[in-house]
Amino acid sequence: MRIVFLGPPGAGKGTQAQRLAEAYGAHHISTGELIRAAMASKSPLGEKARPYIEEGLLVPDDLACELAEAALAEHGYDRFILDGFPRTLAQAAWLDARLQHLHKPLQVVLNLVVPDDAIVERLSRRRVHKLTGENYHLDYNPPPPDIDPALIVQRPDDHPEAIRHRLEVYRATHEPLEQYYQRQGLLVEVNGLGSMEEVFERLVTALKQQG
Ligand code: AP5
Ligand code: ZN
């Protein structure tokens, strides 16, 4: 299983990639999560990424590819669900070259489609666990009551200004990526609206249809 997940900020990529990874015994690789972990540990890479993340802008391609390479290598370039990578054509070309060299090409690119109003509602109500990075939603997936409330925080890029930038960046970069994977016959569109279970079932069905 070698999958890429595309979709706007707050589409549910992380939520669903995590569930699919558990269901299929694959590895969920989120470059966003890797960057946030690097920022939390104040590593040089994290410090380099920080100003981009806090503004809601993409980090430079070389930084994103470096993180993806390390995570892919750790799992033998197989049984992965990439969430939030690639985000530019340069990253997509890098990934293709890397995987083709290893004779392990991508099998499917899932494109999660969610309208803007649902995105803003999801992101403004999202909370994350400060230490584990676990995702919650105050209404649809609230943090368990036994967790210390001080550990439940908002992401550094979930403030209105960064959300606006992230949506702008998504609009400017998504279409070329979508076309790139459409030309390769890999793109499968999935409706991301509805409950987390409904979306999960749609994704499972889409994967079955892909064989
Ligand atoms: P990243 O972490 O990838 O953020 P994003 O793309 O903005 O997406 P999100 O994580 O916000 O949303 P998601 O689709 O994962 O949704 P989630 O499941 O959390 O990247 C962050 C930043 O890192 C980027 O802006 C960029 O700066 C940088 N970066 C990362 N990768 C990069 C790269 N390759 N190149 C350059 N820069 C890079 O769900 C959202 C909320 O909705 C949650 O609260 C969840 O509980 C809830 N929810 C989920 N599904 C449902 C549902 N069906 N119904 C109701 N609520 C739901
Ligand atoms: Zn995410």
Side-chain angles (χ1 to χ4, degrees), residues 16-67:
Q16 299 296 339
Q18 185 60 37
R19 288 187 178 204
L20 288 173
E22 278 164 23
Y24 289 89
H27 306 282
H28 170 208
I29 300 176
S30 157
T31 40
E33 265 176 35
L34 292 170
I35 295 167
R36 286 186 291 280
M39 283 167 60
S41 72
K42 299 197 159 48
S43 74
L45 189 149
E47 291 309 304
K48 223 159 122 187
R50 188 181 302 278
Y52 298 95
I53 298 293
E54 286 176 350
E55 284 270 315
L57 304 173
L58 293 184
V59 305
D61 285 333
D62 58 343
L63 206 150
C65 291
E66 186 183 328
L67 282 170

Side-chain angles (χ1 to χ4, degrees), residues 145-153:
D146 57 330
I147 296 183
D148 176 1
L151 293 175
I152 302 298
V153 295

Side-chain angles (χ1 to χ4, degrees), residues 10 12-15 28 30 32-33 36 83 126 135 155:
K13 301 183 295 295
T15 302
H28 170 208
S30 157
E33 265 176 35
R36 286 186 291 280
D83 153 15
R126 170 166 57 192
N135 251 334
R155 250 172 56 168

Side-chain angles (χ1 to χ4, degrees), residues 3 25 35 39 54 57 61 71-73 87 116 121 131 136 140 153 177 181 189 199-200 204:
I3 296 179
I35 295 167
M39 283 167 60
E54 286 176 350
L57 304 173
D61 285 333
L72 288 166
R87 268 183 152 96
D116 282 5
E121 197 266 344
L131 305 177
Y136 300 103
Y140 307 123
V153 295
L177 268 182
Y181 287 123
E189 234 173 57
V199 178
F200 180 73
V204 169

Side-chain angles (χ1 to χ4, degrees), residues 2 76-78 80 95-107:
R2 294 182 295 277
Y77 302 90
D78 214 340
F80 63 77
L95 181 65
D96 269 350
R98 205 69 200 92
L99 295 178
Q100 265 156 27
H101 175 73
L102 297 158
H103 306 289
K104 290 179 175 175
L106 286 177
Q107 292 162 318

Side-chain angles (χ1 to χ4, degrees), residues 107-183:
Q107 292 162 318
V108 58
V109 175
L110 296 166
N111 189 26
L112 212 46
V113 182
V114 177
D116 282 5
D117 49 350
I119 287 170
V120 174
E121 197 266 344
R122 286 183 187 181
L123 292 181
S124 54
R125 304 285 286 165
R126 170 166 57 192
R127 296 296 182 274
V128 292
H129 192 291
K130 206 173 167 177
L131 305 177
T132 65
E134 178 101 22
N135 251 334
Y136 300 103
H137 187 284
L138 292 178
D139 310 306
Y140 307 123
N141 178 26
D146 57 330
I147 296 183
D148 176 1
L151 293 175
I152 302 298
V153 295
Q154 272 199 296
R155 250 172 56 168
D157 55 351
D158 275 349
H159 57 92
E161 184 70 0
I163 292 176
R164 194 170 60 76
H165 281 158
R166 283 156 64 205
L167 279 169
E168 279 169 13
V169 168
Y170 173 77
R171 289 197 196 98
T173 54
H174 178 69
E175 205 159 296
L177 268 182
E178 191 176 306
Q179 286 166 2
Y180 178 88
Y181 287 123
Q182 207 150 34
R183 275 198 296 275

